[in-house]
Amino acid sequence: MSQRLAASSDDSKLRSLPADLDPARLPAHIAVIMDGNGRWAQARGLPRVMGHRAGVEALKTTLRLCSDWGVRALTAYAFSTENWSRPGDEVNFLMALFERVLQRELQALEAEQVRIRFLGDLQALPDRLQTLIQEATSRTAENSGIHFNVCTNYGGRRELVQAARKLAAQALRGEISPDEIDENRLASELFTAGEQDPDLLIRTSGERRISNFLLWQLAYAEIHVTDVFWPDFDQLALLEALRDFQSRSRRFGGLDGLTDPGTLGS
Ligand code: FPP
């Protein structure tokens, strides 16, 4: 990737997947809850918003590594439906930050074949940001590289309610019968329609909650929690998450051969 997206100057180190990781068993889709920006800044005597600024750099590093190592999709929780309740100054800073990042990085995202999409109720965002989002989405829609999804004004429950409403409206119009509503049809009405479910969820700053993130899509994701604050999430932290992921036995509710037949799958 270009220097713009690159947070490190040592390109060669970033491109090759470390030998102890099996490229065939990498997660195809990683979701991240980027937590701890405020605490990272406060610990340095800085205003909380400086943590968000540093968080952008960590996100760029993560996107770049995921792209270089062959992860097909990265979905990041940038702003939840609940985040509007933060102090007005912080909300305004975040909106302005999203705008600045989009303006600054769009060319690099295009050049590196990243396909960017914003998932959430976007109409509530400032008009200028909506315009930039539309431009970035359409300019990268045909790109063949990593899918980069930025959840903005996103809430998992709201997403499910919206999907239920759409399906109910289709049923009322006689386009589908209620019996035809199955998991595939519901998934096709979510913001993530067409995207494979995440295999791995990473949450930083030690919190062990899902926080209304991808409630449907994370059904079988492996969860990696690290104490690292998001701005400090670097190559080593991502490697630890991937090693943790590769150490898991994924059974999707079934049994993996050697398991006690009396044990419920998970
Ligand atoms: C959570 O930390 C982080 C956020 C609410 C914002 C994350 C946003 C970014 C890193 C910017 C991404 C930008 C683009 C355009 C992709 P927190 O404030 O909850 O931290 P705390 O738990 O320490 O208070």
Side-chain angles (χ1 to χ4, degrees):
M1 277 196 184
S2 74
Q3 284 306 311
R4 266 266 137 94
L5 274 177
S8 159
S9 54
D10 189 348
D11 256 23
S12 55
K13 258 195 205 151
L14 297 185
R15 285 190 187 279
S16 54
L17 186 67
D20 65 319
L21 285 171
D22 177 357
R25 289 175 51 243
L26 278 180
H29 184 174
I30 298 179
V32 280
I33 301 180
M34 309 179 285
D35 204 10
N37 290 351
R39 279 167 286 164
W40 179 92
Q42 279 164 340
R44 287 162 177 74
L46 298 169
R48 283 178 51 81
V49 293
M50 291 302 107
H52 299 316
R53 212 152 76 176
V56 171
E57 297 310 309
L59 186 55
K60 281 161 55 180
T61 302
T62 304
L63 176 63
R64 181 165 197 272
L65 289 165
C66 285
S67 173
D68 288 350
W69 290 346
V71 173
R72 298 293 305 136
L74 176 70
T75 300
Y77 206 3
F79 194 88
S80 75
T81 46
E82 291 73 34
N83 284 154
W84 296 108
S85 65
R86 292 188 174 209
D89 282 356
E90 184 169 341
V91 170
N92 292 340
F93 181 93
L94 278 168
M95 295 299 146
L97 181 68
F98 297 157
E99 284 178 26
R100 271 203 311 275
V101 170
L102 270 181
Q103 273 167 335
R104 214 175 49 203
E105 303 295 342
L106 181 55
Q107 254 188 322
L109 292 169
E110 267 187 306
E112 299 303 329
Q113 287 295 311
V114 175
R115 191 202 72 178
I116 189 168
R117 287 201 306 177
F118 284 75
L119 314 183
D121 283 339
L122 306 181
Q123 291 95 328
L125 301 175
D127 288 345
R128 230 179 22 204
L129 178 56
Q130 285 189 51
T131 306
L132 286 167
I133 286 175
Q134 276 159 14
E135 190 189 347
T137 307
S138 63
R139 272 172 53 180
T140 64
E142 304 304 324
N143 284 355
S144 57
I146 190 168
H147 293 177
F148 179 37
N149 303 311
V150 184
C151 291
T152 313
N153 194 24
Y154 173 89
R157 286 187 172 181
R158 190 183 287 188
E159 178 183 40
L160 287 166
V161 168
Q162 249 170 238
R165 281 197 187 141
K166 283 189 198 156
L167 292 170
Q170 289 166 24
L172 262 182
R173 291 195 297 266
E175 292 163 12
I176 55 168
S177 91
D179 310 339
E180 287 176 278
I181 299 175
D182 58 11
E183 293 187 9
N184 285 338
R185 201 176 280 268
L186 197 138
S188 74
E189 298 298 346
L190 301 176
F191 296 124
T192 47
E195 197 78 83
Q196 185 177 324
D197 285 343
D199 309 286
L200 171 64
L201 169 69
I202 298 171
R203 182 162 190 159
T204 55
S205 89
E207 307 288 352
R208 291 158 195 273
R209 290 185 295 276
I210 299 282
S211 296
N212 204 13
F213 187 43
L214 302 175
L215 295 180
W216 173 277
Q217 298 87 338
L218 292 173
Y220 286 101
E222 297 297 327
I223 300 179
H224 173 83
V225 173
T226 168
D227 286 336
V228 164
F229 290 147
W230 176 253
D232 286 332
F233 191 85
D234 57 6
Q235 180 171 4
L236 190 62
L238 180 61
L239 277 174
E240 270 172 24
L242 293 174
R243 287 184 183 123
D244 186 17
F245 176 79
Q246 294 203 337
S247 75
R248 312 277 181 97
S249 149
R250 303 191 76 202
R251 303 196 316 230
F252 299 99
L255 302 176
D256 61 3
L258 296 171
T259 318
D260 172 2
T263 311
L264 279 178
S266 58

